[in-house]
Every structure is written in structure tokens, then in C-alpha cells.
């Protein structure tokens, strides 16, 4: 049988099945079954070609049926036993499911203009208003410390959103590719304005009541905000590190007690759980602290800078070294 292609498709569950002598032989001769079970190293001799980045995004976005598995969620590879010489097909679970988990969230949360950026390939750009030397320093720090909390402050067009989306892309991809189906989300990317608006709508519309023509009343719960303290704790309970990315923390209407509390409680919970908080702002850290004074702005800023619970927060001040704006 050595060198022949066996008429059986193997995977871990099939091997466990064959190990029990009480189970059926699956059409195998006893000697062949023993050879299969004695093999300790299977080497791939044929497998489908890798998908291109364009194909991966098309599959993840639902625009293309996976060329590798044809939409069946699994495919086969040929493997040869190193000691027995047996050749058989092995059933492999296709990771196109993970592409869909990633891109459905990525495309929903990230503006189109920023979806092309990736931390691994990020380089200084002359299109930024920040000096190339400062860009190189920031990018180097992010690549070396992608899991640390960060505050990016500076004028527009200095790369703040590029940096935050690159960090988010890395975290979201690792969640999508390594977490089991059904595991709760642990990465959230949202603007400060949307965050407080969703919380406001939820409070105001928590119980919608409608009346039809027959005067029947129908009560429906309002949609829960995108990120809540409950969702953060659910992620932690599942063994995940919570990560919150807030764009433009300075771009909300006047900071009332309610608005300040919504943001403060989320950031406080992420920090308390040793999570990652990434913030962008056109205001300085000191100005943010004053802006959120109604809810202890200094305590707020401390939770995503070097004074946070893990002591690993970083602040990147892009006000200090900026290149002239191109005319």
C-alpha cells in the first residue's frame, strides 16, 4: 500500500475513531489501519494555492465564493506518512470563515479611506503634515509595542487616524483568526460622538411603545450601544483582552455630566481589566483633561497614558514637530 492513495479522508476525529478497536474499520484492512495509527509525521505533498490579498478581501466581504473550499468551509490536502509512505487526503477546516468575521466588522467600523493601511507595512509618508523623522519614530514604537494603550494628539493630517486604525486592524485580525465561533467581541472602534449619541438614544428610547389602529400597544427594547461595560466584562470572562479605540475624543458637544460619564465609565472599565485604550484627539492631553473636568478629566486621561493600570500607556504629541503644510 505504500505510495498508493488511500480511499479515506483523515482528520483528528477520524484518527480518534480508528484508535478504538470497537469501531468499524471504515473499509480499511486491519494492517492498513495499524499503519495509519502508527504514523507520527504526515507531510503535505499537495495543497491549494494561497489566496491573494484581493481574493481574501472579496471572500471576507461576501463578493466571492472562497476559491479554496468552494463555500463548503473545508478542503482536502494530500499528505504522505514519513515512515509508512501511505498517502491520504486530510480534511482541513477553511479559514474563509475568519475572513468574513474580520471584514464584516472592519468594513463596518473603518472609513473607506483608511482600510488600506496595515501596521506591518506602514511607512513614513510625505503626504502627512508630520516630519518624516517623527513619523518614523512613532511607527517604530507602534510596531514594537502594538498592544500598549496610546494617546495620539495633534493637528489634522498628522497621521493620528492612520496609526489608530493600524493598531485596530492588527487586534481585530487576531481576534477573528484565533477566537472560536461564538466567542464575544473584544475590539471596538468608534468615534466619541457616535459613542455618546448611541448611549443617549438608548436611554431615551429604551422602551419604545407604539399603538396600532386597534389601540394595541407594542413595547420594544431599544438597540443596545455598540460598546458597553457589560460587553467589556463579557469579553474578559471569555479570556479576551478588551480593546477600545475612540476617534476624536475632543469632537463631542459640550461635555455634560451624562456624556462625560459614558466615556469615563467605558475607559475606566477597560483600564481596570488591563485592556488596551487608543485615543485620537486634535486637542492636547492637558486640554482634554480640562474639557472633561466635569468628570475628573485628569483621571480620564491618566487611564490611557503612562499612568494607566498597566503602566504601559504612550502619548504621541504630534503638535511639536510638524512639517510645513503643502500648498
Amino acid at each position: 500500500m505504500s505510495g498508493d492513495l488511500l480511499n479515506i479522508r483523515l482528520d483528528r476525529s477520524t484518527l480518534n475513531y480508528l484508535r478504538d478497536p470497537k469501531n468499524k474499520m471504515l473499509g480499511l484492512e486491519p494492517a492498513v489501519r495499524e499503519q495509519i495509527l502508527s504514523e507520527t509525521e504526515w507531510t503535505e505533498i499537495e495543497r491549494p494555492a494561497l489566496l491573494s490579498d484581493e481574493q481574501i478581501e472579496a471572500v471576507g466581504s461576501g463578493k466571492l465564493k472562497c476559491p479554496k473550499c468552494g463555500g463548503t468551509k473545508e478542503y482536502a490536502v494530500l499528505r504522505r506518512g514519513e515512515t509508512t509512505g501511505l498517502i491520504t487526503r486530510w480534511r482541513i477546516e477553511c479559514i474563509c470563515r475568519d475572513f468574513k468575521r474580520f471584514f464584516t466588522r472592519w468594513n463596518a467600523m473603518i472609513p473607506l479611506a483608511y482600510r488600506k493601511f496595515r501596521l506591518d507595512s506602514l511607512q513614513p509618508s510625505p503626504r502627512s503634515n508630520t516630519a518624516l523623522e517623527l513619523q518614523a519614530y512613532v511607527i517604530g514604537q507602534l510596531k514594537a509595542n502594538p498592544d500598549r494603550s496610546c494617546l495620539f494628539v495633534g493637528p489634522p493630517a498628522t497621521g493620528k487616524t492612520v496609526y489608530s486604525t493600524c493598531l485596530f486592524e492588527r487586534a481585530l485580525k487576531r481576534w477573528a483568526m484565533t477566537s472560536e465561533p461564538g466567542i464575544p467581541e473584544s475590539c471596538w472602534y468608534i468615534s466619541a460622538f457616535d459613542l455618546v449619541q448611541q448611549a443617549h438614544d438608548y436611554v431615551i428610547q429604551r422602551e419604545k411603545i407604539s399603538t396600532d389602529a386597534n389601540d394595541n400597544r407594542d413595547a420594544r427594547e431599544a438597540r443596545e450601544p455598540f460598546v458597553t461595560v457589560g460587553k467589556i466584562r463579557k469579553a474578559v470572562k471569555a479570556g479576551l483582552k478588551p480593546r477600545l479605540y475612540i476617534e476624536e475624543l475632543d469632537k463631542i458637544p459640550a461635555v455634560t455630566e451624562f456624556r462625560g460619564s459614558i466615556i469615563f465609565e467605558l475607559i475606566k472599565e477597560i483600564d481596570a481589566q488591563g485592556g488596551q485604550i487608543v485615543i485620537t484627539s486634535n486637542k492636547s492631553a492637558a486640554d482634554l483633561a480640562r474639557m472633561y473636568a466635569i468628570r475628573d478629566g485628569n483621571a480620564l486621561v491618566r487611564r490611557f497614558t503612562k499612568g494607566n493600570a498597566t503602566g504601559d500607556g504612550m502619548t504621541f504629541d504630534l503638535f511639536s514637530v510638524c512639517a510645513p503644510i503643502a500648498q
Side-chain angles (χ1 to χ4, degrees), residues 11-298:
D11 57 20
R12 183 175 299 176
S13 62
T14 305
L15 288 177
N16 289 334
Y17 177 89
L18 290 174
R19 288 190 180 98
D20 188 342
K22 298 178 183 178
N23 292 330
K24 296 179 179 180
M25 304 286 281
L26 300 179
L28 298 172
E29 295 292 333
V32 175
R33 182 170 78 166
E34 291 306 317
Q35 281 188 295
I36 291 175
L37 296 178
S38 68
E39 184 60 70
T40 59
E41 185 174 355
W42 297 88
T43 302
E44 291 181 2
I45 58 177
E46 179 185 273
R47 68 180 309 168
L50 296 176
L51 302 184
S52 66
D53 290 343
E54 291 76 16
Q55 287 176 312
I56 289 174
E57 182 165 358
V59 171
S61 302
K63 299 176 181 178
L64 175 70
K65 182 181 292 186
C66 179
K68 185 175 289 188
C69 71
T72 64
K73 303 295 187 285
E74 65 177 43
Y75 60 93
V77 298
L78 286 181
R79 290 178 178 174
R80 177 188 288 113
E82 287 296 302
T83 58
T84 63
L86 296 176
I87 300 176
T88 185
R89 291 184 177 87
W90 283 72
R91 183 183 293 109
I92 305 296
E93 182 180 355
C94 189
I95 63 172
C96 63
R97 176 208 70 189
D98 299 330
F99 302 157
K100 294 176 181 178
R101 296 178 77 203
F102 171 79
F103 279 105
T104 53
R105 291 163 175 81
W106 174 253
N107 292 339
M109 287 185 267
I110 302 301
L112 181 62
Y114 295 96
R115 294 177 194 167
K116 62 183 178 181
F117 296 107
R118 301 291 186 270
L119 185 60
D120 291 344
S121 59
L122 191 61
Q123 299 292 333
S125 170
R127 298 179 62 183
S128 171
N129 292 336
T130 305
L132 294 176
E133 295 81 3
L134 180 55
Q135 290 184 58
Y137 169 77
V138 174
I139 293 170
Q141 287 294 308
L142 299 182
K143 288 183 177 180
N145 307 283
D147 295 313
R148 293 175 65 174
S149 292
C150 300
L151 170 63
F152 300 101
V153 296
T158 50
K160 302 185 298 297
T161 301
V162 171
Y163 299 143
S164 65
T165 53
C166 281
L167 292 174
F168 176 69
E169 189 273 341
R170 177 186 179 276
L172 182 64
K173 182 174 290 182
R174 277 157 178 73
W175 172 84
M177 300 298 181
T178 60
S179 299
E180 294 298 321
I183 220 74
E185 291 183 303
S186 61
C187 309
W188 302 275
Y189 187 102
I190 189 171
S191 71
F193 180 86
D194 285 345
L195 194 155
V196 297
Q197 186 64 51
Q198 288 179 12
H200 173 269
D201 292 345
Y202 183 63
V203 170
I204 298 300
Q205 303 174 10
R206 180 162 305 173
E207 187 180 74
K208 284 188 172 181
I209 300 178
S210 60
T211 304
D212 62 18
N214 297 320
D215 204 30
N216 295 315
R217 295 163 63 85
D218 179 28
R220 298 179 181 177
E221 289 296 318
R223 178 178 295 179
E224 189 177 35
F226 178 62
V227 54
T228 65
V229 169
K231 291 181 179 180
I232 293 169
R233 291 175 179 171
K234 187 175 181 181
V236 173
K237 186 177 180 180
L240 303 174
K241 180 174 181 174
R243 303 171 190 269
L244 179 60
Y245 304 75
I246 302 179
E247 278 294 299
E248 299 185 317
L249 189 60
D250 58 314
K251 294 296 190 298
I252 65 170
V255 181
T256 62
E257 178 69 30
F258 173 79
R259 292 168 179 162
S261 295
I262 292 299
I263 290 177
F264 187 90
E265 291 306 312
L266 290 174
I267 289 177
K268 183 179 73 172
E269 186 65 28
I270 294 280
D271 181 51
Q273 301 291 355
Q276 181 183 28
I277 305 166
V278 177
I279 304 291
T280 68
S281 169
N282 287 352
K283 293 181 180 292
S284 68
D287 286 340
L288 281 176
R290 286 189 285 270
M291 178 178 176
Y292 284 88
I294 195 171
R295 199 60 180 83
D296 195 348
N298 287 319

